[in-house]
Amino acid sequence: MSEDNANAAVDKSCCAACGIVEVVAIKLKECADYNLVRYCSDGCQIEHTTQHEEACKKWAADLRDELLFKQPESTHLGDCPI
């Protein structure tokens, strides 16, 4: 994935494939799996699939890892939870 495509994927206000910005007349649709990127049309989504698929899987794994290893807001130091 090129740096431009990576930046487009992070910026959800524009189409990840062609870069068109969302305006009143153009509503962007989110990626079906993890809503990480948005597309202006089905054609752009299909065109961008090969680039997005690998990145989407990596981002999904990173999100899962973050959720699994996230530390709780408070700890029970000194308190017996049982």
Side-chain angles (χ1 to χ4, degrees):
M1 182 190 272
S2 73
E3 189 174 320
D4 291 339
N5 287 334
N7 291 338
V10 173
D11 184 5
K12 290 178 69 173
S13 66
C14 66
C15 177
C18 69
I20 195 168
V21 177
E22 182 174 45
V23 293
V24 175
I26 301 170
K27 294 293 181 192
L28 300 178
K29 299 177 234 171
E30 293 184 329
C31 156
D33 293 327
Y34 296 100
N35 301 328
L36 296 172
V37 296
R38 298 172 76 189
Y39 301 101
C40 64
S41 68
D42 291 338
C44 276
Q45 186 172 5
I46 291 167
E47 178 185 317
H48 194 248
T49 297
T50 56
Q51 296 169 340
H52 173 66
E53 198 170 66
E54 186 177 321
C56 190
K57 287 178 186 177
K58 181 186 180 310
W59 288 325
D62 289 347
L63 288 173
R64 270 187 247 113
D65 289 348
E66 184 178 315
L67 290 174
L68 284 174
F69 298 108
K70 183 177 180 182
Q71 296 297 316
E73 294 295 322
S74 62
T75 62
H76 298 299
L77 296 177
D79 295 334
C80 179
I82 299 176

